[in-house]
Amino acid sequence: MQPLVVANWKMNTGISDASVLATMVRNQLHEFNGVDVVLCPPFIWLQEVASILEISDPRIKLGAQNCYPEKDGPFTGEISVSMLQELCSYIIVGHSERREHFGENNEFINEKVHACLRYNLTPILCVGEKQKSENSQKKILKDLIECLEGVTKDELAKIVVAYEPVWSISTATQGDIASGEYANEVCELIKKEVGKETPVLYGGSVTSLTVDNYISQKSIDGVLIGGSSLNANNFVGICKKARGE
Ligand code: 13P
């Protein structure tokens, strides 16, 4: 399977930063083979980034960082999957920052997974332990199984799972970062649960200097990038390394 590199811009960029970043990435990845790339800007810049990517190679896809599982209705401030369907191919669901700051639980994330599948969008389902402990792998599997409740075998092939250990997110300059071997061990466990057809990504402080450690592992099919996706040169560097340059 071709490596998948996903950029999660999180709550960053103004309109001009978003346009410049998307344009630079698009121009540098023009006719780029050997890796699938997804950009996930904030909701409010999706349309702008879509119009920038439109005149390029359809291999750079667009993703949203979140969704609401209902189709429409009185849900002030929310964005449904059916609205996103026009613009996106992927939606990140279950990110640890949403669990932490917005109290999202496995049941609600499961509803989002089903909503994505209903509208033929690929959910990028995030799982990962808060702290490394003897029980972390058990907890990750429990979360994974609960978030995938009711998902059929065929549907599993339309999902991406991202393993993001919370203790390794945004820590690139301060310390604890998951090793490639450790990340691989957990991704292997996830793969055993979801099957070979489901891409499993690693995310957490990946940079162009460290991406090789992860992408070279047998059970890691790609990477989910936060901070390093906000700089076009760094992000393009990661994409190039991911395809073995
Ligand atoms: P960082 O790459 O900034 O650690 O973020 C990872 C992440 O949370 C991507 O979803």
Side-chain angles (χ1 to χ4, degrees), residues 114-214:
H114 283 287
C116 292
L117 292 169
R118 235 180 349 267
Y119 288 94
N120 276 325
L121 292 183
T122 304
I124 302 174
L125 169 63
C126 301
V127 289
E129 76 278 23
K130 269 196 188 156
Q131 271 143 15
K132 218 191 314 185
S133 76
E134 271 178 24
N135 285 333
S136 28
Q137 299 196 354
K138 248 197 209 154
K139 169 83 171 83
I140 293 163
L141 273 190
K142 180 179 177 286
D143 286 343
L144 183 69
I145 290 166
E146 288 182 9
C147 291
L148 292 176
E149 166 109 34
V151 171
T152 65
K153 250 194 161 166
D154 285 352
E155 285 173 334
L156 278 178
K158 298 176 191 154
I159 286 178
V160 173
V161 177
Y163 168 53
E164 294 207 314
V166 180
W167 50 270
S168 192
I169 292 179
S170 308
T171 56
T173 53
Q174 317 140 42
D176 213 5
I177 296 172
S179 68
E181 291 71 25
Y182 176 79
N184 188 60
E185 191 183 312
V186 180
C187 290
E188 194 176 321
L189 194 78
I190 293 172
K191 253 191 190 300
K192 277 197 188 127
E193 183 60 39
V194 293
K196 313 199 271 289
E197 305 291 306
T198 307
V200 179
L201 314 182
Y202 167 75
S205 301
V206 179
T207 67
S208 55
L209 299 177
T210 62
V211 62
D212 282 346
N213 301 343
Y214 304 104

Side-chain angles (χ1 to χ4, degrees), residues 65-84:
Q65 297 175 19
N66 184 31
C67 63
Y68 195 73
E70 295 294 331
K71 183 170 173 281
D72 48 32
F75 302 101
T76 302
E78 292 298 322
I79 312 273
S80 71
V81 180
S82 70
M83 293 167 175
L84 293 167

